[in-house]
Amino acid sequence: MPDVTLTVDGKQITAPAGTLLIEACKAAGIEIPAFCYYPGLSLQAACRMCVVRIEKMPKLATACTTTVAEGMVVQTETPEIVQARKATLQLLLGNHPLDCPVCDAGGECELQDMTFKYGAASSFYAEPKNHREEQQWSPVVYFDRPRCILCYRCVRMCGEGMDVFALGIQNRGSSAVIAPNVPAHLSPDQLAHVDCEQCGMCIDACPVGALTSGTYRYKTRPWEMNHVATVCTHCGDGCKTTLGVRSTSSGAEIVRGDNRDKSGINGDFLCNKGRYAFDFANHEGRITQPLVRKDGTLQPASWEEALSVAGSRLKELRDSRGGAALGVVGSNRITNEEAYLLQKFARTVLGTNNIDHHRTADYVAFAQALAGHADRAASLHDTLKAPAVLVVGGDPTTQAPATAWNLRSNVRQNRARLYLANVEPIKLRRQAKGFLQLAPYGYNALAAYLAGDEAAAAAAAADHAALASFREAVKAEQDLLILIGAELRGAELKRLIEFGLSIPGAKLALLADYVNSRGAADMGLLPDMLPGYTPVGSQSALATEYGAGTQPELTKPGMDLLEIFDAAARGNLAALYVVGSNPVGRLGIDPATLKDTFVVVQEMFLTETAALADVVFPAANLYEKGGSVTNSYGDLQLVSKAGDTAGVRSDFELIVRVADKMGADVRKLVPFGTSTGLRADMGQTRGAQSGEADRHAIWLAANNLEPRLSPFDPFAILDEVQRLVPGYNVLRLQLLSGNDQHLSPATPATVDLSQRRDLVSPSGDSLFTSGTLGRYSSMLGDLQRNQAQQLVQIHTAAD
Amino acid sequence: MPTLVSHPDEVKVVSRRFGMGASDIDRYLELDGYKAVQLALSQGPDQMADWIINVMKASGLRGRGGAGFPTGMKWSFVPKQSPKPKYVLVNGDESEPGTCKDHVIFLHDPHSVVEGTMIAGLAIGAKLGFIYLRGEYRYLLKNVEKAVADAYARGFLGKNIFGSGVDFDIVTQTGAGAYEVGEESALMESLEGKRGVPRIKPPFPAVVGLYGGPTVINNAETIANAPHILLMGGEAYAKLGTERNGGTRLFGISGHVERPGVYELPMGYKLRDAIYKVAGGIKDGKKLKAVVPGGSSCPVLTADEIDVGLDFDQMAKAGTMLGSGGIVVLDETVSIPEFAMRVISFYQHESCGWCIPCREGTDWIKKTLTRVHAGGGTRKDIDNVQYLAENMMGRTFCPLGDAAAMPTLGFVKKFRKEFEDYIDGHRAGTNLITLDQLVGAH
Amino acid sequence: MSNVANTIFSPELAARFDHLVTLYPVKRSALVPMLLYAQDEIGYVSDAAVSEIAQRLSLEELDVRNVLSYYSMLRTKPAGKYNVQVCTNISCMLRGGYTVLEHCKQQLGIGHKEVTPDGLFSLEEVECIGACCWAPAMQVNYDFHDDLTPEKVDVVLEMYRKGQGKDVK
């Protein structure tokens, strides 16, 4: 669009034709107030706060509905306009309860801010305000009707943004009210409720305190919290969530999660997990001191004792039975630096390639297929911009909600063409231009059919005509974004990707389940792959660095997750080192399997796996540490320490300490202080509280300084990652300034995928579950029960 | 059943067939029915649209709903070519207090609305027209439905009307109780099965209207005039009225007059004569106190201000509006504050609630005046009411806010003394409305 | 045969609804008339009616309720067999609308939006019904009665009480 020039408050500004005046002004630094306007949602012109004076227009005009025009002359803050806004505020305040001192929104309220600005402080109404009782619409959504100013942001957010349509407007005039989709008189408890995805976007959008969050309401005041922006620990989209943190006697408690400044990779969006499911951090079941098995039971022990037991026993077993008898299981929720460190620890200290993690997508095949096509790997940002999108498998609405949000927004705002191929009629079909119902297990056949194998049609879909036209439509696209679910793996995944690469400008992404599923694979938590998908045994800088020449057994792939437990069952696993994972619970391992194995677990909770351990180290979670994570798309982001639980330590620190107790050269494991040769201990010798070093590192990072002074400093490992891991040559300044950075998978050598066991096991998480971690979020539990109850109601109603 | 009235000063165009049994299609045909549409069709497919629009432009007909927009010009705004279907929408959601003229048209001459809809359709190239009647007008809807069905039965509607090769369909629609739906964009929302909340303008309906297609929306009386205008010629119609205010219009004179009723008077006819000559003067020999000249949203005129011609421009000059032609006459016994209370009570009830100034403004004016009625008012409340109304004027999402603010400002400004006396306990006039009635309404 | 299995409406109304949705470019346009016609048959817009209409128009029930609650003629509770709607807006008020309303209240023994114990009558004060020139006026269901006096009201009510009143639908 060509630019037009207009004059606003005497200042010449330019904006692309078609821009809304309110946006053009904002871009030029002129803030026009508005309650009902919300970028990206439909226009309302209802609150009348954004009125401005435009020359040659008889009345004040709403800046939110006026598009800029060449030569337009606009005044945004004349006495007439100020008076109009003041009068509107006076009208609102006439009925608005002035309970700001206890209102959750107090201090963060747009009505408060506007009142302050326009000075609508005096009221001339003598009539009492209309009081209504607060309603609990769900475990997480509360509605305080008198506070509502009817801006309809929540209604649009829910309908247009979320495609849920759980909120409506009922009655009219001064009786108009926001109404949820389960009316009181149809509800068993005679109270109104929402039957929805519980994302909480309505709360986020609410300019006042009419919609409040079940996890936060009446807990604290906004100004009593520190607001720490970090990355959500749940799904693979890696949304930015801002955690509100309050100091307590036992550390720093996270009391709120929200999308405070909307500056993250997720834009406006945050789902229920990012918003509410931080509460596992405050769960009473947190392990806060080391446990050592004595006389058959796990008993509290000192750090020194626990570290000594773990270190000495591991050293002994390595030395006596060799690295091949040791196994390591890593996590999808630890940082890249921790994952890298863990595999380096396994390979260089324990001397084993027997390392794996819960794989939720086949990134090895993805990297292999994209080898040499670095520009074809998609970022999450592409889901918002691509002119056409093909989604094969998966269900982004429940598994990758930010992806789903972006796709819906892209369809709504840019008229993107969405094509879906799925065995289930997933919800996104409502936005799709084409939905292809696949035959059961039809994904591999679809990949073959798309690639031109006509014989695969029968196994791909029952409706052959639909299949054919679907392929035709997809092939006719350019710059197609292809999102692939975990259903496709190995050679079939490669085949689909090759098809994708045949489409000009197409980009691809593979969707996994957890915050650092991609990072775990990228960082080489795999028995056959070193970091950066470097095949074990191939010639590489990494292999050389790790001493490949001196340890010939490390040139062969190690045991994968299932083989590790098979070895244990055969009595061939001397030790198992588990970080942030619960394979025993997830895989249903018989506890007897590990009876002859020395098990060390770093965990937050006494999971099925931790319960079998000989040593349990209380671990910090992702919200309690710094580092980086990589989402499904390869977007790298920094995480920041928000909460703090006394008695726990980061997985990073724990690995270093265990290695130290094993007699390893810590400086080789973590190349800290290398640039200056300076070795600065950041508190540990002073007996400082745990996490202090880490916190200091965060402070340094926040000030754009790179510490690298401590053996517990993730930046020291990031240096090494950047130096050695293919594809991770990150821009440090970009990262330090809090932006995401897209990385393409790189693989230095090809492997035969048909001979490789992918071992992918999707978590099957819903909107209200999150693997083992989800069990410890009471809010997710409440939401599951709430959902189950509503399903019962629906069934009863249908009977 | 509404009583038909008549007066020698009347000039009957649109009311020509009233009381003549024209609901019957044969009778309508005898009375020149469906001749206008055939005359239009006879202009040939290439000339027809322009011919109709030119005649309408020449007639000087201005919208009879209240805004007074020139009809021919409105029709000419519809793009000739449109990728989306075009529509005609007839606004029979007559709801402005004091207005009952369309009522009489639907009752006595429904075919004129049907024929007018067809003409509008031919003028803009629409194939489908909707006639929307307010929900309360069920018995009139029956009448219109029968007219439409009879026209279909004769082949006047449907495929290939009058053998012209042109198709035209009409669908009738009922509302369900909402003043706001009389606003044209809210009317479209209602017809699309939604809450009657107006749309953001621009785009205007002529470009993006019903179902996103270009749409002409006209008041029922405007539409009913079209066949007559085509037959008599635009200039002949224009000459009946005043400059820039062509023709005649239906005036419903109600309230304290001897002979209330719907009269068709030439545009520019004197308001004083309408009250004293046509409607027989003030009921029971009382004196005139005030007139609400064009439906309840028009600023009141005092007894001294009625020497004004009833057309859009003269009324505007007099500081009020011609509106919907509903002239409500108030005699000397009327308490203006109480009358004002009833007016604002209506707008408070009918505000759709969409925008803040209207939703909250009408509510607070009503609350304040209710307290005044209850005896708890102070003179400051008059200022407050005026302040509220002034801050609603021109600032609301749609004209309903203005419709509430304008009469309120008129009452408060022109009868301030009476408000002050009312607050001071000196209540002139009869008790129009009790406090219970004011509070209890709805 | 209705397009909806197990319709709650009479076969005639169900057939009318089947037809109604075909008239418009978008079937949702039938919503407001359907709600009113359903009310005419059932006496009010019941939950079951909301549900079936939502189904017929492929709408969320919430959406139907949003619309339903907007229009003042639509109700979600039963009214009397004869719903007496007295206009008290300006033209009627000036000519005795409130007298008519008070008279009805007295004669029927009920107030605004109340129903007589026998379910025969309900009473409602309504805004302008477009009978200003024949004021004061009221509607019993859809039938207009104008130029009223208390005496005329008595006659009208008696007529309905005896089942002789017109019932336009």
Side-chain angles (χ1 to χ4, degrees), chain B residues 356-427:
Chain B
I356 295 168
C358 175
R359 177 183 76 233
E360 304 293 335
T362 53
D363 197 42
W364 281 109
I365 294 176
K366 181 181 173 182
K367 277 182 182 167
T368 306
L369 288 180
T370 303
R371 181 160 40 79
V372 165
H373 195 308
T378 66
R379 290 190 175 198
K380 184 81 173 58
D381 288 320
I382 309 171
D383 298 331
N384 290 344
V385 166
Q386 185 171 337
Y387 175 83
L388 285 165
E390 278 168 352
N391 280 288
M392 285 166 68
M393 273 303 293
R395 306 222 180 116
T396 53
F397 183 62
C398 84
L400 194 144
D402 295 344
M406 281 186 297
T408 304
L409 284 172
F411 293 130
V412 173
K413 285 180 173 170
K414 290 186 181 172
F415 293 91
R416 185 175 175 102
K417 177 79 172 61
E418 196 173 328
F419 278 91
E420 288 173 0
D421 289 346
Y422 194 90
I423 284 165
D424 294 346
H426 311 300
R427 301 192 175 187

Side-chain angles (χ1 to χ4, degrees), chain C residues 89-102:
Chain C
N89 209 302
I90 50 174
S91 296
C92 285
M93 174 175 75
L94 291 175
R95 293 184 79 101
Y98 279 110
T99 310
V100 171
L101 178 66
E102 297 303 329

Side-chain angles (χ1 to χ4, degrees), chain B residues 264-332:
Chain B
E264 185 168 7
L265 298 169
M267 292 293 271
Y269 191 83
K270 289 282 181 254
L271 175 58
R272 176 180 294 281
D273 292 341
I275 297 169
Y276 285 98
K277 278 173 74 182
V278 178
I282 309 305
K283 192 168 170 276
D284 302 330
K286 295 249 174 35
K287 280 201 287 200
L288 176 68
K289 183 168 191 176
V291 184
V292 175
S296 63
S297 59
C298 301
V300 66
L301 295 174
T302 64
D304 303 331
E305 295 172 325
I306 62 169
D307 292 304
V308 56
L310 288 166
D311 69 26
F312 290 102
D313 302 325
Q314 294 185 59
M315 294 299 272
K317 230 170 120 186
T320 183
M321 298 185 304
L322 188 63
S324 60
I327 300 169
V328 185
V329 178
L330 284 59
D331 74 14
E332 57 188 316

Side-chain angles (χ1 to χ4, degrees), chain B residues 178-196:
Chain B
Y179 167 78
E180 175 64 358
V181 167
E183 195 279 338
E184 61 178 10
S185 63
L187 182 70
M188 294 193 290
E189 288 287 293
S190 180
L191 181 55
E192 290 185 13
K194 299 174 195 159
R195 293 165 59 83

